Amino acid sequence: MADHSSKKIWRGLIAAVVVLFVFVVLAPRARAASLSVNPPAGTFTVGSTFEVPIYLDTKGQAINAVAVFLKFPPDKLQLISPSTGRSIVEIWPSLPRFNNLTGEIELQGLVPGGITTSGGLITTLTFRVKSVGQATIRFSDESKVLLNDGLGTDALNHLSHGIYQLVLPPPMGPIVTASTHPDSTKWVANSTVTL
């Protein structure tokens, strides 16, 4: 009777160790991928444009699909276009969508056969600076990175947002013109200049 009881205890102990192994070792690995913007910070002038590439790090796991949702302040930035020319994504089931009134971007793509990457370019976003202030480009919680495991397991664990300072351009200084010498590239016999 005691022998049967100790077998039960050992089985329970082994089951507990297996469950602990799954949660401690395998579970963090299942959710390890990260999405980031580059540069993560910077200063840009009103009226200028700047590019923000979106990168994926799969942390050594093969993934085959991404769903990226981003938000930006539409009063500060205007998205000119997302570029899908150079991308690890091979198939875009629907073209990238964006709305400059609400400040939302949606990108969904597939990588048939899967890919493992530490710096895979998903897209490059080009923004125009509209006004002075601070602008954060952030990933929404609904973003996903799906493993190439036949189950569509979400591997996304870390999101790195971008925070940008938007400033006025420096003053250009006065513009100097000469009414007596209207074309500065041509020689004029008159040595008296009126500015």
Side-chain angles (χ1 to χ4, degrees):
M1 190 78 142
D3 189 38
H4 180 68
S5 178
S6 77
K7 280 185 180 177
K8 270 185 160 178
I9 291 171
W10 277 107
R11 283 187 193 139
L13 203 55
I14 290 170
V17 168
V18 168
V19 168
L20 187 63
F21 176 79
V22 167
F23 281 104
V24 172
V25 176
L26 298 181
R29 184 164 166 73
R31 292 185 59 87
S34 68
L35 289 169
S36 61
V37 299
N38 191 37
T43 301
F44 302 98
T45 59
V46 173
S48 69
T49 61
F50 67 101
E51 292 185 344
V52 178
I54 306 298
Y55 288 104
L56 168 67
D57 184 350
T58 65
K59 305 292 185 187
Q61 301 178 95
I63 65 97
N64 64 4
V66 294
V68 180
F69 298 90
L70 294 137
K71 294 188 180 214
F72 64 92
D75 60 323
K76 304 270 188 282
L77 298 174
Q78 174 190 13
L79 180 63
I80 296 172
S81 69
S83 167
T84 57
R86 281 186 34 216
S87 175
I88 59 167
V89 174
E90 295 178 28
I91 299 172
W92 298 94
S94 62
L95 290 175
R97 291 185 280 214
F98 63 94
N99 186 325
N100 277 316
L101 295 177
T102 61
E104 297 174 316
I105 305 166
E106 179 182 331
L107 307 153
Q108 297 187 42
L110 305 171
V111 185
I115 189 171
T116 302
T117 179
S118 61
L121 178 66
I122 294 176
T123 188
T124 300
L125 306 172
T126 303
F127 288 96
R128 175 176 287 115
V129 180
K130 291 171 62 177
S131 64
V132 172
Q134 181 174 286
T136 301
I137 299 173
R138 70 175 58 251
F139 294 95
S140 298
D141 291 337
E142 57 193 313
S143 297
K144 295 186 184 323
V145 175
L146 305 182
L147 291 177
N148 188 27
D149 61 0
L151 302 172
T153 305
D154 184 11
L156 185 58
N157 186 42
H158 185 72
L159 301 168
S160 295
H161 311 293
I163 301 174
Y164 308 101
Q165 304 305 319
L166 312 176
V167 298
L168 289 173
M172 295 180 63
I175 297 173
V176 180
T177 59
S179 58
T180 54
H181 298 75
D183 189 347
S184 63
T185 61
K186 294 185 179 174
W187 184 82
V188 178
N190 184 357
S191 61
T192 303
V193 178
T194 304
L195 299 176

